[in-house]
Amino acid sequence: MSSDAVVTGPPGSAAVAAGSVGAVDAAVEVLRAGGSAVDAVLAAAFASVMTEPVLSSLGGGGFLLHAPVGGEPQILDFFVTVPGLGDTVGEPHVETVVVDFAKAGPAASTSEQVFHGGWGTVAVPGSLAGHLDAHRRWGRLPIADVVAPAARLAREGVVLSPVQQRFLLLVTELLRLTPESRDLFSRTEIDGFYQNPAYADLLDALAAGTITQQEDPAYAVPLVDAARERGGLLGHEDLAAYAPELREPATADRSGARVWTNPAPSAGGPIVLDALQRIATGGTEWASVAAAQADAREAHRRPGTVPTGTTHVTVVDADGSFAALTTSNGSQSGAVVPGWGVTLNNMLGEEDLQPGEPLRPGARMGSMMAPTLVAWPDGRRVALGTGGSERIRSAVLCVLARLLDEGDDVATAVAAPRVHVSGDEVVHVEPGLHADELASIAALVEARGWPAYDAWPTTNIYFGGVHAVQRDADGAVTAVGDARRGGAAAVLRPDGEVVRAWSEE
């Protein structure tokens, strides 16, 4: 894979890092028009529905970390909830497929994962409600300006990057589960060109004020009618009861710095902070990082904690306010809202999301998503996040360990090899660790009776895509887009010049 996208800018610059060039360009357009960090991160999120269609949708959910200048960070939780508050009709329609990460490039031996799709796997989406709520709280520009770049992409169409085409290949079986989804993606599977005029119509309705919330009949009726007709559990009662929730972040101090991340009921942030506390300060021992991951996971796991198809955007505006947004559509259900072109999540079908006793209707599901902010006493701040299913916790942890304990700069920390301990206690290792570090991991595996560790032959999308932005005390910025997931980055300089970088092969 190519090197990460890294861009720097002088004091007074704004910066963006995301999983696609189109998402970054949408954020820059809005920043240039005077938008806030939240306006820009939302513009990128609306655009990523087109440029990262497997990973991003208004039919999923997510989390936004907002850190204003001179104020405390907050987390807006707009993750999915369990449907079923009203009367259900019939049995949910669920289908099973197996996804092999080896289709996206060289992989380790344990690269297969079972997924479920169909209308019966669709949880109550929160992304549309969350985006609109965040805009009302922290936006500066009209919503029409925020959605305009995405509407243009949807109407004109885009050619997906090689990384996004590999994601499409990974979940092809899910995308073929319903006629609507097959029609939406049939050309894209052939030549990578993706167009969604219905999604452009939805964005136009948002811009015009025809839709102001996701329970508005113009949006809700097509969604609920389709769910009832095709084996889904969603009802009008579920949409009416849904609301984003503003939360105080989970926090910790480490190596003189302060860390803020996603709190409970989600598990990703608490696992990351717990694991950090289990690792001795000073030089990082990667066997201890692996052990800490496993122990923290066991301490914090609860039903509903593993979204799969996930992406992240980080923005800092010229004033120094940060916005870090992680969203997930699961691995796609294959269901599409008729008339709006919105692909829907399959969160109810994720085996790790509903272990044991199912969650009650109306309950908010948890997540591994962990948008995170780090602040040092000298005034430097770094915001970051990642997609990657259960690898979210390990990707964020590994980057934080390098930032906090190794003293790495943000670009070095993102590029460095990662270690992940999966739920079946297989230790996955990216290439690049020293021989003595690998020997320590092998000793840990033997001592705990775990399976032999898997050494991956190359870096891989499996290990997440950490898109991060740093702002120094003097206002200078660095943006890093992770090459593992086709990251892109841009800086808007005070003189209006835009400097871009992308990590495609």
Side-chain angles (χ1 to χ4, degrees), residues 108-110 286-294 297 390 394 418-430 433 437-438 440-446 448-456 462-463:
S109 59
T110 53
W286 291 98
S288 70
V289 172
Q293 282 183 39
R297 182 193 68 228
E390 64 171 6
S394 57
R418 297 173 191 158
V419 174
H420 171 72
V421 182
S422 59
D424 54 4
E425 297 181 327
V426 173
V427 182
H428 298 264
V429 183
E430 280 193 300
L433 292 182
E437 294 170 326
L438 294 175
S440 296
I441 290 173
L444 171 69
V445 166
E446 181 177 3
R448 295 210 174 187
W450 292 348
Y453 73 84
D454 261 330
W456 287 59
Y462 178 86
F463 290 90

Side-chain angles (χ1 to χ4, degrees), residues 174-221:
L174 286 165
L175 297 177
R176 294 175 179 172
L177 288 180
T178 68
E180 295 82 6
S181 184
R182 286 197 297 271
D183 289 346
L184 187 58
F185 290 104
S186 58
R187 176 176 174 180
T188 315
E189 291 180 353
I190 297 171
D191 62 7
F193 182 77
Y194 181 53
Q195 192 173 25
N196 193 338
Y199 178 54
D201 291 342
L202 172 62
L203 297 177
D204 288 346
L206 293 174
T210 306
I211 296 174
T212 60
Q213 52 191 357
Q214 73 178 12
E215 65 266 31
D216 282 349
Y219 179 79
V221 169

Side-chain angles (χ1 to χ4, degrees), residues 294-316:
D295 294 341
R297 182 193 68 228
E298 290 305 310
H300 292 274
R301 272 307 281 274
R302 58 174 290 276
T305 53
V306 188
T308 305
T310 314
T311 192
H312 181 83
V313 184
T314 303
V315 176
V316 64

Side-chain angles (χ1 to χ4, degrees), residues 4 41 65 74 107 135 137 180 210 212 278-279 284 287 303 332 342 356 369 372 432 434 447 450 460 465 480 491 504:
D4 295 335
V41 85
L65 184 152
Q74 293 179 299
H135 179 261
R137 291 177 187 273
E180 295 82 6
T210 306
T212 60
R278 296 172 187 266
I279 302 167
T284 305
Q332 300 270 348
V342 175
M369 290 186 278
T372 300
H434 297 305
W450 292 348
N460 190 280
V480 183
V491 164
E504 298 303 348

Side-chain angles (χ1 to χ4, degrees), residues 102-119:
K103 291 197 297 183
S109 59
T110 53
S111 60
E112 290 188 346
Q113 195 169 343
V114 175
F115 296 108
H116 304 284
W119 276 92

